[in-house]
Structures are given as structure tokens and as C-alpha cells.
Amino acid sequence: MDWGTLHTFLGGVNKHSTSIGKIWLTVLFIFRVMILVVAAQEVWGDEQADFTCNTLQPGCKNVCYDHFFPVSHIRLWALQLIFVSTPALLVAMHVAYHRHEKKRKFIKGEIKNEFKDIEEIKSQKVRIEGSLWWTYTSSIFFRIIFEAAFMYVFYFLYNGYHLPWVLKCGIDPCPNLVDCFISRPTEKTVFTVFMISASVICMLLNVAELCYLLLKVCFRSRRAQTQRNHPNHTLRESKQNEMNELISEGGQGTVTGFPR
Amino acid sequence: MDWKTLQALLSGVNKYSTAFGRIWLSVVFVFRLLVYVVAAERVWGDEQKDFDCNTKQPGCTNVCYDEFFPISNIRLWALQLIFVTCPSLLVILHVAYREERERRHRQKHGDQCAKLYDDAGKKHGGLWWTYLLSLVFKLAIEFLFLYVLHTLWYGFSMPRLVQCANVAPCPNIVDCYIARPTEKKLFTYFMVGASAVCIVLTVCEICYLIFHRIVRSISRKKTARSRSPRSSASRASTCRYHHKLVEAGELGLDSGDDKLRASAPSLTPI
């Protein structure tokens, strides 16, 4: 079980996402998960071993490290990525339930004319409408909440996103105010800023996706209202379309005109 | 052999689980196994090396570490995850047994006879009891491990300082400092929380199974006069009786289903 398995879980959801959702997933896995695994983990690998304090007092280094880094950056990012990916599983479960219901109806014979066989039900792309729209929108909303929450926790725990070279520590059993030096502070700052920026981009993509879904629903309801208000107009239009199709099928290569 | 193998084994259980069971499996894979592998394991990676005692007495650090951590949290969680996921394998074994029995029955009696099971994976009869038992085992194991974790580590907290007293070869009361206690405490709470969520899901699933069974038996009693699905044992005995009649020459080989229905009026047609 590792990030690859999570990628497989979420890859299934990708088929039913909007285009912005697909971009979000790509940014998540390439610019955050992959960077975390191949680069960031190496940078933070020796974090406690190379955290050096200017004292020989046993226990002082442990206590100072624990005070300044209650939770390591790497672990917080891992938890953030897991929590941010989890709402997509709600969508996956809803799609699976939707398919299960269709399969049940197909077996009973209620929707036999819509599908050839069960395989077609499995491969059909589910549209984001009705209750699935609500599930999908809630999942995006939760993603935004989790991203914002973790960014705030980071800011709160580490007093900003910058790591200093030296920290001063006077906690028991340290005998006095002791200087402690973090290993690779500049590299860690660079990666912290990078991961935070990727977080911000993902959040903006989620906000854009949410706006897109809301606009889509508004347009759809407006179109439905227009159709209800002017049914004759649309009926005439659809009949015209049918006639045009018949003409184009029947007279290929001949000059056609519109019927009067 | 690693966590991926266990995951592959358990993915097969999903087909036979209820909705609660599938949610439980997702919670176990994402919030317990994945968090364990990508985060928690590393937090405990340097635990003995960075366990610092205020003494120069050789052996004192080792002895104190062993006194406070008879078994590491991380190993206990690995054991918990393996034990908690194993009862689900009982269900897979039972379904495999049913399918094997069906196969042997077909081999012996041919395709004329009715199937032993309409659906080997449906939770009726013995499989319902196996599934319920697996849930009860899961619950018991979760509680047991939570109790052990609580007892061995004085609650779920992780102090910064532990004092090692009256343990040879330490000369006096020695102060020992645990590495990353806050991070360890956070992950302990997280894993205990995930355990609690799994316990709640398991309890809900047990209640759902029992409730569903009661409702099914009440509705069956209401329609008691109509045909009900027969057990696999009675179908097997009907088949054996049919074959005996065929062998004794009382039935022609082409009499097939009609005679079968005559000998077993409540047979469910295939």
C-alpha cells in the first residue's frame, strides 16, 4: 500500500471528473505526491539526526527538536495529500452505487433497450447530474476546506513558511539558552514554498471547478425554463432538424433546398 | 510478501460485503494502512537511536528503552492491521468452499439437476453466520489491541521525559528523553481515532445484518404459502433421488424436469 495504490483508486474517479478535475488530479500527483516522494523526503530525511544543539546536556537536543517541530513538515504534507484525495472516494462510491442500481435494473429487464449488456453499463461514463452533482460538489468543497486548514496549520505551527538557521532553546533539561541549528534550512524553505504554492494552485483549480459546476447548473435550469416558456418554437426547430436530416440522407450529391 | 499482497487478498472480499463493509475496507486502506506506510513508520524509525538518557553507564539506555517500550507502537499497529483484516478471509474461504461444492455436484450429477446455490456469494444460510462471526472477531481484536496500547503506554500519551528507576545497571533515577514525543502522540491519537471509526462501522454492520435478517424472515412468514428457496442440502438430496429413479428404470432419461418437479413440488426452476 503506497501512493501508487491511491493513484489507482483516484484514477478511476478521473473518468467521471470535469476537465478541471482532471487537471487538478494531474497537478496533485505530479507536482505534490511525486515531489514529496522523490525529493522532499530526502531533504527531511536526516532532520533529527543533524539537528545540532550547542550543548552536551543529554536530552536537551530531543526536547528542543520536539518543541520546534511538533509535527514534521513531511508528515503534515503526507496527511494533507491523503485528506485532500479522500473526498474523491465519495464520488467513486456514488458512481459504483449508481452502476450497481443500473445493473440490477438491467438484470430485472427494466432497461434492456438502453444497454446491450452489463459490460456496456460498466464502461459508460456517468454524467455529473442529479444526486451525483451534489456529491461531486461537496467533495470539491471539502477539498478546499482541507487544503485551507492544512495551510493554516502549517502557518500556525512554524510561524510562517520560512525556516531559520538558528533557534534558541531554554527548555528543561537545557541548562541555559542554547543555540540549536537546523540542517539544510534554505533547501527546506525552498521546498516548503514550492509545496505551499502547489497547494494554492490546487485550491484555485478547485474553486474554478466549483464555479464551473454552479454556472453549468444555472445555464441548464435557464435553458429548461426557456423550453418550458416557448415549447412551440423549440418544436418547430426540432421538426426542421428532422426534415433536414431526412433530406441529407435521401439526396446525397443533389442540390437540396429547405422544405416550405 | 508485503502490504500490497494483503491488499490484493482483501480486495476480493469487497464483492461479498455490505455497503458498511466496503466503507470499512476503504477506511482501513486509506486512513490506517496508507498513513502507517507513508507517515507513521518513519516517525518511529529512529526511536531507539534517539532515545537519550542522562547517564554514561553502559547498558542503562538499552535497559531503560526496553522497560518503557516492550513492544514498539509501530509493530503493534502492524499486528493489529493484520489481525483485524484476517477475519474477512473466512468469508472468502466459505465462498470458495461453496463454489467447490457446486462444481463437484455438477460433475457428479450433471447439468440436469438444480444448482446447489443460486448465488454462492449471497449471504444466506451458513455464509451469513460466517460473515457475522468475522465481524464479531474484528470487533474483539480491535478492542483487544486498543486495550493493550492503553495499558502498555499509560494511556495514549507520549511524555517527553521518562524516569528510569531501580533498573540495573542504571546507578540511580535516570532521566531519559524520548525522540519526537509530540509527533508520536499525534499519530497515536490518529490511529486510535481511525480504530474507533472502524469499530463504529463494524457495530453498524452487525446491527444492519441482524435487522435485515429479521425483516427477511418476517416477510417470508407473511408469504409462507408461496415457494421459498430451498436449502442446498434438500436440492442435493432431490438430485440423488432423481438419479436413483433413473438408475432403477422408473424414469426415462428424457423425463427430465417434469418428473423432477413431480418429485419435488417446491423446486425453484433454473
Side-chain angles (χ1 to χ4, degrees), chain B residues 18 98 119 121-129 131 207-224 226-229:
Chain B
T18 60
R98 276 186 169 189
D119 179 2
K122 215 159 166 71
K123 288 184 287 294
H124 290 151
L127 188 61
W128 186 89
W129 286 103
Y131 196 84
C207 296
Y208 168 77
L209 270 180
I210 295 172
F211 175 74
H212 193 64
R213 174 96 168 203
I214 292 171
V215 161
R216 212 173 52 210
S217 60
I218 289 173
S219 65
R220 215 185 284 170
K221 274 184 192 158
K222 277 187 185 164
T223 57
S226 68
R227 283 192 223 156
S228 55

Side-chain angles (χ1 to χ4, degrees), chain A residues 127-169:
Chain A
R127 293 193 65 184
I128 304 172
E129 297 174 327
S131 56
L132 185 61
W133 184 91
W134 286 103
T135 309
Y136 196 82
T137 314
S138 334
S139 77
I140 297 176
F141 182 71
F142 279 124
R143 270 188 229 163
I144 297 171
I145 299 285
F146 288 141
E147 292 272 24
F150 273 93
M151 277 172 62
Y152 174 72
V153 164
F154 251 107
Y155 190 84
F156 176 74
L157 278 181
Y158 299 108
N159 298 319
Y161 302 122
H162 169 79
L163 275 94
W165 289 359
V166 63
L167 295 161
K168 294 201 189 279
C169 178

Side-chain angles (χ1 to χ4, degrees), chain A residues 21-116:
Chain A
K22 289 174 186 166
I23 297 171
W24 173 83
L25 203 70
T26 311
V27 169
L28 185 81
F29 275 101
I30 294 180
F31 293 104
R32 294 173 78 179
V33 176
M34 198 158 151
I35 295 288
L36 181 80
V37 169
V38 308
Q41 267 175 356
E42 309 293 327
V43 176
W44 269 267
D46 55 1
E47 53 178 326
Q48 193 172 356
D50 284 341
F51 181 76
T52 316
C53 288
N54 189 6
T55 180
L56 284 175
Q57 170 64 44
C60 179
K61 188 180 97 155
N62 278 12
V63 159
C64 289
Y65 181 84
D66 187 61
H67 176 76
F68 289 111
F69 301 105
V71 185
S72 171
H73 286 68
I74 285 286
R75 254 71 70 183
L76 266 181
W77 284 324
L79 284 176
Q80 183 181 11
L81 289 168
I82 291 170
F83 273 89
V84 148
S85 321
T86 306
L89 293 177
L90 284 174
V91 177
M93 281 190 221
H94 193 138
V95 168
Y97 168 75
H98 186 86
R99 281 214 177 115
H100 178 76
E101 286 297 301
K102 277 203 169 159
K103 260 191 235 174
R104 212 166 46 87
K105 284 185 182 164
F106 183 81
I107 288 167
K108 271 191 183 167
E110 286 168 30
I111 50 169
K112 266 217 150 63
N113 47 352
E114 277 183 47
F115 302 101
K116 274 185 278 173

Side-chain angles (χ1 to χ4, degrees), chain B residues 109-170:
Chain B
H109 299 289
D111 288 344
Q112 281 183 342
C113 279
K115 280 177 155 181
L116 283 178
Y117 306 104
D118 290 326
D119 179 2
K122 215 159 166 71
K123 288 184 287 294
H124 290 151
L127 188 61
W128 186 89
W129 286 103
T130 307
Y131 196 84
L132 188 70
L133 210 65
S134 75
L135 292 177
V136 170
F137 279 147
K138 268 188 223 174
L139 208 57
I141 289 166
E142 293 271 26
F143 276 120
L144 179 71
F145 273 92
L146 280 180
Y147 173 73
V148 167
L149 195 71
H150 191 270
T151 315
L152 282 181
W153 284 279
Y154 324 105
F156 300 123
S157 69
M158 190 74 70
R160 266 184 190 170
L161 161 73
V162 288
Q163 291 188 313
C164 195
N166 304 323
V167 177
C170 300

Side-chain angles (χ1 to χ4, degrees), chain B residues 146-198:
Chain B
L146 280 180
Y147 173 73
V148 167
L149 195 71
H150 191 270
T151 315
L152 282 181
W153 284 279
Y154 324 105
F156 300 123
S157 69
M158 190 74 70
R160 266 184 190 170
L161 161 73
V162 288
Q163 291 188 313
C164 195
N166 304 323
V167 177
C170 300
N172 49 11
I173 297 178
V174 168
D175 290 341
C176 292
Y177 298 89
I178 300 173
R180 310 186 217 240
T182 311
E183 203 166 0
K184 285 176 180 170
K185 188 163 42 172
L186 181 82
F187 274 96
T188 306
Y189 285 150
F190 186 92
M191 296 297 266
V192 167
S195 250
V197 167
C198 288

Side-chain angles (χ1 to χ4, degrees), chain B residues 112 242 245-246 249-256 259:
Chain B
Q112 281 183 342
H242 171 72
L245 288 176
V246 166
E250 286 178 37
L251 286 177
L253 279 170
D254 58 350
S255 54
K259 290 289 189 292

Side-chain angles (χ1 to χ4, degrees), chain B:
Chain B
M1 189 77 191
D2 57 6
W3 292 113
K4 280 199 175 143
T5 325
L6 186 71
Q7 190 200 330
L9 277 171
L10 291 172
S11 299
V13 183
N14 231 1
K15 281 188 284 194
Y16 315 118
S17 301
T18 60
F20 285 109
R22 286 174 194 166
I23 298 171
W24 177 88
L25 208 66
S26 305
V27 169
V28 166
F29 279 156
V30 176
F31 291 104
R32 292 174 78 177
L33 204 44
L34 185 63
V35 169
Y36 174 92
V37 170
V38 308
E41 247 183 338
R42 285 161 208 269
V43 178
W44 270 266
D46 54 3
E47 53 177 326
Q48 191 173 359
K49 202 163 51 76
D50 285 335
F51 183 73
D52 216 358
C53 286
N54 189 4
T55 180
K56 276 194 170 309
Q57 171 63 47
C60 181
T61 307
N62 280 13
V63 159
C64 286
Y65 179 83
D66 191 60
E67 165 90 4
F68 286 106
F69 301 106
I71 176 166
S72 170
N73 281 28
I74 212 75
R75 255 69 73 184
L76 200 68
W77 285 326
L79 287 173
Q80 184 180 11
L81 284 168
I82 292 169
F83 277 94
V84 142
T85 45
C86 280
S88 305
L89 298 176
L90 286 175
V91 176
I92 298 180
L93 287 171
H94 194 140
V95 172
Y97 162 75
R98 276 186 169 189
E99 282 168 355
E100 180 60 23
R101 204 176 152 216
E102 182 81 56
R103 192 187 64 82
R104 282 209 196 127
H105 178 75
R106 307 229 107 206
Q107 240 176 19
K108 198 174 169 190
H109 299 289
D111 288 344
Q112 281 183 342
C113 279
K115 280 177 155 181
L116 283 178
Y117 306 104
D118 290 326
D119 179 2
K122 215 159 166 71
K123 288 184 287 294
H124 290 151
L127 188 61
W128 186 89
W129 286 103
T130 307
Y131 196 84
L132 188 70
L133 210 65
S134 75
L135 292 177
V136 170
F137 279 147
K138 268 188 223 174
L139 208 57
I141 289 166
E142 293 271 26
F143 276 120
L144 179 71
F145 273 92
L146 280 180
Y147 173 73
V148 167
L149 195 71
H150 191 270
T151 315
L152 282 181
W153 284 279
Y154 324 105
F156 300 123
S157 69
M158 190 74 70
R160 266 184 190 170
L161 161 73
V162 288
Q163 291 188 313
C164 195
N166 304 323
V167 177
C170 300
N172 49 11
I173 297 178
V174 168
D175 290 341
C176 292
Y177 298 89
I178 300 173
R180 310 186 217 240
T182 311
E183 203 166 0
K184 285 176 180 170
K185 188 163 42 172
L186 181 82
F187 274 96
T188 306
Y189 285 150
F190 186 92
M191 296 297 266
V192 167
S195 250
V197 167
C198 288
I199 286 173
V200 167
L201 285 168
T202 311
V203 166
C204 290
E205 202 176 357
I206 291 173
C207 296
Y208 168 77
L209 270 180
I210 295 172
F211 175 74
H212 193 64
R213 174 96 168 203
I214 292 171
V215 161
R216 212 173 52 210
S217 60
I218 289 173
S219 65
R220 215 185 284 170
K221 274 184 192 158
K222 277 187 185 164
T223 57
R225 284 193 202 100
S226 68
R227 283 192 223 156
S228 55
R230 298 168 64 216
S231 70
S232 60
S234 68
R235 288 187 202 188
S237 68
T238 308
C239 265
R240 284 195 290 273
Y241 180 65
H242 171 72
H243 275 280
K244 277 186 184 159
L245 288 176
V246 166
E247 282 166 16
E250 286 178 37
L251 286 177
L253 279 170
D254 58 350
S255 54
D257 286 333
D258 289 337
K259 290 289 189 292
L260 209 60
R261 281 205 196 94
S263 63
S266 58
L267 181 70
T268 317
I270 299 163

